[in-house]
Amino acid sequence: MSLWQQLSLAWRAQGASPLLREYYQSLRPLLQQSLADVPLIAIDMEMTGLNPQQNQIISVGLVPLTQRQLPLAMAAHQLVGISGSVGQSAIIHGIVDRHLQEQSLEQQQLLPWLLRQVMGKLMIFHHAPLDLAFLSTLMQRTNGTSMRFPVVDTLQIERRRLLRECHILPQGCLRLGACRQRYHLPVYAAHNALMDAIACGELFLAQTASINPDVAVAEFLWWP
């Protein structure tokens, strides 16, 4: 990890909640590990829309990656209650209001739950800026602080790979399903947080299958 990255993490930990500060501290040794050794966890979220200022998180799916395997027995799917109704977004993700009344976390409980799940692990997203924007907005509302940390973004990995082959990327070519298709991965139903987290984890394994496992995981990081 470079000096700039060390200073960046230390600066971001200042003023963070105790649990978020603990997560920042758990990241420091991870960023110096190799791709083969670093503990990872793939995450996906479903929301009521795409605007973090107006819409809310309604479900989170996650699955760890350990020794280049996805132990599905350790996967988790959590519904999150919202203020108001899911509205027309139910057409996309299939979650209706009555689902959120059963065994769901409240919005202010989501971040503590998530941080405990990912503690000591580096997060993987597909299109990380959207998910991180929702998490950071929720952190701002519940704790009054921002939330910014390095993650692995399978979309960014794929974008860099494709740009080495052509200068113009076709519309839609970076969607999760389209990326998986190029690696001959099976088609999964989209817009279920757990299924999309598993799909993201599998995509990362495919993207890095031919890469030297001793390479530093820092080579794959995206810093917001």
Side-chain angles (χ1 to χ4, degrees):
M1 184 168 58
S2 69
L3 177 60
W4 176 85
Q5 291 169 337
Q6 294 182 46
L7 293 174
S8 177
L9 277 182
W11 178 76
R12 294 175 189 195
Q14 292 183 358
S17 67
L19 198 56
L20 179 57
R21 189 181 310 122
E22 184 180 350
Y23 181 66
Y24 279 125
Q25 292 169 347
S26 79
L27 282 179
R28 296 188 64 178
L30 301 182
L31 303 186
Q32 303 179 57
Q33 294 186 17
S34 69
L35 182 62
D37 295 331
V38 68
L40 300 161
I41 186 164
I43 300 175
D44 187 78
M45 302 190 305
E46 294 298 321
M47 290 79 92
T48 57
L50 299 178
N51 187 331
Q53 301 300 325
Q54 299 177 1
N55 302 123
Q56 300 169 78
I57 301 166
I58 58 170
S59 70
V60 179
L62 50 86
V63 59
L65 278 77
T66 304
Q67 297 179 333
R68 299 195 58 74
Q69 295 183 351
L70 291 168
L72 297 183
M74 299 175 68
H77 184 234
Q78 180 62 59
L79 295 175
V80 188
I82 61 173
S83 60
S85 170
V86 299
Q88 294 300 309
S89 71
I91 298 171
I92 303 297
H93 46 65
I95 298 173
V96 297
D97 292 336
R98 64 178 172 79
H99 292 146
L100 302 183
Q101 298 168 2
E102 305 165 357
Q103 299 181 335
S104 63
L105 294 176
E106 297 180 4
Q107 289 283 311
Q108 61 268 31
Q109 296 175 309
L110 172 58
L111 288 174
W113 175 84
L114 181 62
L115 287 171
R116 291 189 185 98
Q117 299 291 322
V118 304
M119 194 66 67
K121 303 181 183 70
L122 196 59
M123 296 188 231
I124 304 177
F125 295 90
H126 189 78
H127 192 25
L130 178 63
D131 296 273
L132 294 183
F134 270 87
L135 291 176
S136 186
T137 299
L138 182 57
M139 177 63 78
Q140 191 70 44
R141 287 173 180 162
T142 57
N143 290 273
T145 60
S146 62
M147 184 176 181
R148 300 173 62 204
F149 42 75
V151 300
V152 174
D153 189 342
T154 51
L155 185 149
Q156 296 296 335
I157 293 174
E158 195 66 6
R159 184 198 304 275
R160 290 195 297 269
R161 189 184 74 81
L162 292 177
L163 284 175
R164 288 195 294 267
E165 299 174 356
C166 57
H167 296 295
I168 299 177
L169 301 183
Q171 186 174 6
C173 72
L174 294 175
R175 291 175 182 161
L176 181 57
C179 294
R180 287 176 56 86
Q181 187 175 23
R182 284 189 289 274
Y183 294 89
H184 307 291
L185 293 168
V187 177
Y188 292 158
H191 302 302
N192 173 282
L194 179 54
M195 287 303 301
D196 284 349
I198 293 170
C200 174
E202 290 179 343
L203 174 61
F204 180 71
L205 292 177
Q207 288 173 322
T208 56
S210 60
I211 294 176
N212 182 348
D214 294 327
V215 70
V217 72
E219 298 292 324
F220 301 92
L221 293 181
W222 179 76
W223 289 72

